[in-house]
Amino acid sequence: MAKVKSISFKENNGWTECNHLYLDASKLKESKGRISFITQIGQERLLKDEMKGFCHQRFKANFVVREMEIKDLVVDMQLRVGDTIVSIIQVGKACLLECPIIEASNPSCFVNRQVFFGAIIREGLVKKEDAIHILD
């Protein structure tokens, strides 16, 4: 079963890791209510890859999730994450052509395929270890 492994929140131009987060779209003004997820595998690659691209240096997700299969996700699918309902608005992320990894290994790196983004449909509390359920 997919679960929340870690939670981070951007505040005052810095990231804070926390044990829980109340998701309220109005409080996520910088991201326009959009939240980001990365799989545990993707997060490990961000930390361990020898060749570092732009994402390795700049990307930080709100949620690291474990046991989540990106291949099972599609745009407009809804997820229950803790008490919150999130609608998937993007699966994967675009690579920048100037990225060192793209220049070296064309056409893309592994990390961008381990990320997805969502919009908050129902506000609520999300805690570490909360289950993530795909809703029908």
Side-chain angles (χ1 to χ4, degrees):
M1 171 180 293
K3 290 193 174 190
V4 175
K5 182 177 183 286
S6 67
I7 303 169
S8 296
F9 180 73
K10 187 173 185 178
E11 186 172 54
N12 299 327
N13 296 326
W15 285 87
T16 302
E17 193 163 323
C18 50
N19 290 320
H20 62 277
L21 181 63
Y22 188 85
L23 289 181
D24 174 352
S26 68
K27 291 182 181 174
L28 299 171
K29 293 175 187 156
E30 282 187 29
S31 62
K32 298 178 183 146
R34 180 171 137 156
I35 54 176
S36 56
F37 298 82
I38 188 168
T39 65
Q40 182 175 355
I41 295 166
Q43 180 69 21
E44 288 169 0
R45 291 286 296 265
L46 281 177
L47 299 173
K48 295 179 183 176
D49 280 351
E50 286 185 30
M51 179 176 252
K52 303 289 187 197
F54 292 155
C55 289
H56 292 79
Q57 301 165 38
R58 299 178 191 165
F59 181 77
K60 179 83 173 165
N62 296 111
F63 299 96
V64 177
V65 298
R66 64 174 189 232
E67 300 178 38
M68 174 70 71
E69 292 290 334
I70 294 289
K71 66 179 177 53
D72 297 336
L73 304 178
V74 295
V75 171
D76 294 330
M77 179 181 279
Q78 292 189 355
L79 305 174
R80 183 165 34 97
V81 184
D83 297 333
T84 304
I85 304 292
V86 173
S87 178
I88 296 174
I89 58 174
Q90 181 179 334
V91 178
K93 66 184 285 312
C95 289
L96 299 172
L97 296 177
E98 311 82 44
C99 178
I101 290 179
I102 302 307
E103 290 178 350
S105 67
N106 199 20
S108 68
C109 73
F110 175 80
V111 174
N112 72 335
R113 295 185 302 269
Q114 297 299 312
V115 173
F116 63 99
F117 299 90
I120 301 164
I121 301 298
R122 184 177 77 196
E123 297 176 3
L125 184 66
V126 178
K127 302 179 299 239
K128 278 176 138 176
E129 299 301 320
D130 274 349
I132 302 170
H133 300 279
I134 295 173
L135 302 177
D136 294 330

